[in-house]
Amino acid sequence: MSNDNALMIEILKSLQAGMKRIELDMVDLKVPVSAIEQHVAALDASVAGVNSRLDRMDERVSRIERRLELVET
């Protein structure tokens, strides 16, 4: 085997080792990313609930203002 071939093999081995480390890192990241996605989904649902409650409160306040004639119609 020539020096060029040996050098190429060493470079390829190094690249393979680097790729394997990247693959392992990706596996390690999947669980935390999934947990973050679940938290964001829960926050979205929570914000939607709060917005719905605020909309109902706004309707009630508007109705009270009309009954008390506090706003011009």
Side-chain angles (χ1 to χ4, degrees), residues 41-56:
L43 285 172
D44 282 345
S46 186
V47 168
V50 169
N51 284 339
S52 177
R53 290 176 68 190
L54 285 173
D55 288 343
R56 288 193 309 270

Side-chain angles (χ1 to χ4, degrees), residues 60-73:
R60 292 174 71 187
V61 169
S62 293
R63 190 174 52 209
I64 291 168
E65 288 175 338
R66 282 193 307 275
R67 280 188 176 179
L68 295 176
E69 297 178 358
L70 296 175
V71 292
E72 296 179 17
T73 55

Side-chain angles (χ1 to χ4, degrees), residues 13 19 24 36:
K13 285 181 182 179
M19 290 298 293
L24 293 173
I36 291 169

